[in-house]
C-alpha cells in the first residue's frame, strides 16, 4: 500500500512512519511543512529505506498537493499535520486556524479530486484517515464518565476548537461527497522524540538541569496517557481495517493527575540519575498560575477499537514512562539540539 502521510516529522507522525517502515512492506511519502515541531532527526533510523520518501510541503498549498497526489498515486492518506500546543494557541491562534482548518480543507479537496479520478476498485479501497484529539470533547464533570465516539463536542481552547472544526470538515466531506474517511480521537501521547515544550519531556530535561518543574494550578488535572508507539499501531490498524465513516477513540487506559506524572518521573530519575546527597528531584516541583480555560479531566472509552479491530495498549503507564525516561537519558544530544535550535538551523543550511 502507498500511504501519503502528513506531519510525519512531528512527534506522533514520526512514530507512525517508523512503525510502518519497520513492520510492514508499505511505501510512505511523508509531507511536512517543517515548522518548529518538525524534526527530521526523529526519522534517521528509517530515512534511507527505499520505501520512504520525504517532501517539504505546506498542506495549505493546493497546487503542490494536487501535484503530489497525481505523482504519488496514494492508496490512503493519514492526516497528522497540525498545530497542537494549547499554550501556543492561546498566545497566537491564527496559525492554528490556518493549519488545522484551512489546511485540512485544502487536503480534503486535493484528496477528493484525486479520488474521483480512480477506477471503481481503487475508489472503493481508498481511505482518508484524519487523526484528531480527545480535547475536542472539552472536559468531563464526573470521575467515572468517559469520552465515547458519540460524546458532544465542547472545545475549550483555540487549539481544540480548530481540531473540532477539522473533524467536522472531514465528516462533511464523507457525508456530502462520499469521500471514504475515518476519524480517530486520541488521548495524551508520550514517549520518545516528544518535543521538549510538552509536559513529560519538559519535566525530565528541567530536572536534569536542576531547574524548577512548573505545574499548572494544583496539578490535579487528569489525563489519560497513551504511549506513542501503541498509538502508532492503532492508527495503522484503523487505516487498513477501520470502517469508512466511523470514529475510533484511542486511549491508554492510564488516568493520572499531572502531579502524579511529575512525581513518577522524579522517582525514576532518583534511581537512574541520582542527585548529589540523594536529594529527590521532587524538591524542584513548583506550582504556577493555571492556564486559562484549563480542562480538568479527559478520559477515553477505547472499547470500540478493541472490540472491532482487536487493539489495546501494550504499555501500562508504569512501563511506558520508564521507557520514556530511559530514552531521554540515552538521547540527550537529540534533546539539546532541539532546545538550542541547531536541528532547525542545520536544516536551513545555517552554520551553527
Amino acid at each position: 500500500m502507498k500511504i501519503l502521510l502528513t506531519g510525519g516529522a512531528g512527534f506522533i507522525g514520526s512514530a507512525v512512519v517508523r512503525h510502518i517502515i519497520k513492520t510492514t512492506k508499505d511505501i510512505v511519502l511523508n509531507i511536512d511543512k517543517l515548522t518548529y515541531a518538525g524534526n527530521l532527526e526523529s526519522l534517521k533510523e528509517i530515512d534511507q529505506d527505499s520505501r520512504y520518501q520525504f517532501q517539504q510541503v505546506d498542506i495549505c498549498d493546493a497546487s503542490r498537493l494536487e501535484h503530489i497526489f497525481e505523482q504519488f498515486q496514494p492508496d490512503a492518506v493519514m492526516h497528522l499535520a497540525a498545530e497542537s500546543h494549547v499554550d501556543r494557541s492561546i498566545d497566537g491562534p491564527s496559525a492554528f486556524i490556518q493549519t488545522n482548518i484551512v489546511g485540512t480543507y485544502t487536503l480534503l479537496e486535493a484528496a477528493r479530486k484525486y479520488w474521483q479520478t480512480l477506477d471503481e476498485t481503487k475508489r472503493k479501497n481508498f481511505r482518508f484517515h484524519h487523526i484528531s484529539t480527545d480535547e475536542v470533547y472539552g472536559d468531563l464533570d464526573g470521575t467515572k464518565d468517559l469520552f465515547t465516539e458519540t460524546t458532544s463536542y465542547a472545545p475549550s481552547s483555540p487549539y481544540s476548537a480548530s481540531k473540532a472544526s477539522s473533524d467536522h470538515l472531514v465528516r462533511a466531506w464523507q457525508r456530502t461527497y462520499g469521500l471514504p474517511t475515518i476519524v480517530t480521537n486520541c488521548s495524551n501521547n508520550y514517549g520518545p522524540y516528544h518535543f521538549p515544550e510538552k509536559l513529560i519531556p519538559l519535566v525530565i530535561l528541567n530536572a536534569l538541569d536542576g531547574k524548577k518543574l512548573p505545574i499548572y494550578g494544583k496539578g490535579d488535572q487528569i489525563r489519560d496517557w497513551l504511549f506513542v508507539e501503541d498509538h502508532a499501531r492503532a492508527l495503522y490498524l484503523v487505516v487498513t481495517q477501520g470502517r469508512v465513516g466511523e470514529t475510533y477513540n484511542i486511549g491508554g487506559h492510564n488516568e493520572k493527575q499531572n502531579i502524579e506524572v511529575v512525581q513518577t518521573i522524579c522517582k525514576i530519575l532518583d534511581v537512574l540519575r541520582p542527585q548529589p546527597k540523594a536529594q529527590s528531584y521532587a524538591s524542584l516541583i513548583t506550582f504556577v498560575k493555571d492556564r486559562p480555560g484549563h480542562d480538568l479531566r479527559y478520559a477515553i472509552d477505547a472499547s470500540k477499537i478493541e472490540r472491532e479491530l482487536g487493539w489495546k495498549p501494550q504499555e501500562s503507564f508504569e512501563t511506558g514512562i520508564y521507557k520514556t525516561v530511559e530514552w531521554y537519558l540515552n538521547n540527550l544530544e537529540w534533546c539539546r539540539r532541539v532546545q538550542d535550535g541547531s536541528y532547525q538551523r542545520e536544516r536551513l543550511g545555517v552554520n551553527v
Side-chain angles (χ1 to χ4, degrees):
M1 188 165 69
K2 297 171 72 175
I3 300 173
L4 175 61
L5 191 145
T6 73
F11 170 48
I12 300 174
S14 64
V16 177
V17 173
R18 292 192 304 271
H19 173 75
I20 294 172
I21 296 300
K22 290 163 69 174
T23 67
T24 80
K25 296 181 179 180
D26 295 341
I27 297 167
V28 176
L29 172 55
N30 169 20
I31 63 172
D32 196 299
K33 185 180 178 180
L34 295 182
T35 62
Y36 76 96
N39 189 349
L40 294 176
E41 294 181 11
S42 302
L43 294 160
K44 276 192 171 181
E45 62 182 293
I46 57 89
D47 66 5
Q48 298 303 309
D49 194 290
S50 61
R51 293 177 294 114
Y52 172 74
Q53 306 172 47
F54 170 76
Q55 291 190 39
Q56 186 172 354
V57 177
D58 184 345
I59 59 168
C60 294
D61 187 335
S63 61
R64 285 288 304 281
L65 288 180
E66 289 181 16
H67 179 74
I68 284 169
F69 273 97
E70 181 181 345
Q71 295 297 312
F72 184 61
Q73 296 282 305
D75 301 302
V77 174
M78 299 184 75
H79 177 35
L80 294 101
E83 295 285 348
S84 64
H85 194 253
V86 175
D87 288 350
R88 286 178 182 263
S89 80
I90 294 170
D91 294 337
S94 177
F96 290 75
I97 305 303
Q98 187 68 19
T99 298
N100 298 353
I101 301 177
V102 177
T104 298
Y105 157 73
T106 307
L107 183 66
L108 280 166
E109 278 294 85
R112 182 171 72 91
K113 290 177 182 178
Y114 162 73
W115 173 70
Q116 289 175 331
T117 69
L118 299 176
D119 63 39
E120 184 177 351
T121 300
K122 287 189 174 182
R123 277 169 58 93
K124 182 179 179 181
N125 291 330
F126 183 79
R127 295 291 181 269
F128 185 107
H129 178 191
H130 175 64
I131 289 83
S132 190
T133 171
D134 62 355
E135 295 193 38
V136 297
Y137 300 126
D139 60 0
L140 293 162
D141 294 327
T143 58
K144 296 184 179 179
D145 295 336
L146 298 171
F147 295 136
T148 71
E149 287 81 2
T150 59
T151 297
S152 297
Y153 278 30
S156 303
S157 69
Y159 160 59
S160 56
S162 66
K163 287 298 289 184
S165 299
S166 66
D167 292 9
H168 291 320
L169 287 173
V170 171
R171 293 191 179 100
W173 258 241
Q174 194 272 325
R175 182 77 178 266
T176 302
Y177 302 111
L179 185 70
T181 67
I182 307 174
V183 175
T184 52
N185 298 85
C186 69
S187 59
N188 278 38
N189 279 228
Y190 70 100
Y193 298 104
H194 207 174
F195 197 78
E197 70 184 355
K198 300 290 188 171
L199 175 65
I200 287 176
L202 177 69
V203 167
I204 295 169
L205 296 174
N206 273 17
L208 293 174
D209 290 340
K211 297 178 180 178
K212 295 293 185 183
L213 309 181
I215 309 296
Y216 280 129
K218 299 176 182 178
D220 55 355
Q221 302 87 2
I222 298 171
R223 301 292 182 261
D224 174 19
W225 291 94
L226 172 64
F227 192 61
V228 70
E229 293 174 11
D230 279 331
H231 189 197
R233 288 191 304 106
L235 294 180
Y236 186 75
L237 269 177
V238 169
V239 79
T240 55
Q241 300 180 30
R243 290 186 290 137
V244 169
E246 292 295 319
T247 299
Y248 296 91
N249 280 349
I250 306 171
H253 306 304
N254 291 302
E255 287 188 56
K256 301 288 181 183
Q257 289 188 331
N258 285 349
I259 186 64
E260 290 181 83
V261 173
V262 176
Q263 289 170 339
T264 299
I265 293 170
C266 290
K267 289 178 182 177
I268 296 171
L269 286 173
D270 286 342
V271 174
L272 297 180
R273 192 65 60 86
Q275 293 193 92
K277 301 180 181 179
Q279 183 179 15
S280 174
Y281 287 97
S283 63
L284 298 172
I285 292 173
T286 184
F287 297 94
V288 299
K289 184 179 179 181
D290 207 355
R291 169 195 292 160
H294 203 168
D295 292 330
L296 181 60
R297 176 173 174 260
Y298 304 147
I300 284 272
D301 178 354
S303 59
K304 179 178 177 178
I305 190 172
E306 180 175 356
R307 182 175 64 252
E308 293 194 7
L309 303 181
W311 176 90
K312 57 183 178 180
Q314 294 179 351
E315 300 290 345
S316 66
F317 182 74
E318 289 70 27
T319 61
I321 194 65
Y322 191 90
K323 287 181 178 180
T324 300
V325 174
E326 273 195 319
W327 185 89
Y328 278 92
L329 291 176
N330 293 329
N331 291 274
L332 287 175
E333 182 181 354
W334 180 91
C335 301
R336 301 312 183 197
R337 286 172 58 76
V338 173
Q339 289 177 312
D340 66 18
S342 58
Y343 77 106
Q344 281 189 307
R345 292 194 297 272
E346 287 189 8
R347 184 177 74 206
L348 296 171
V350 179
N351 291 328
V352 293

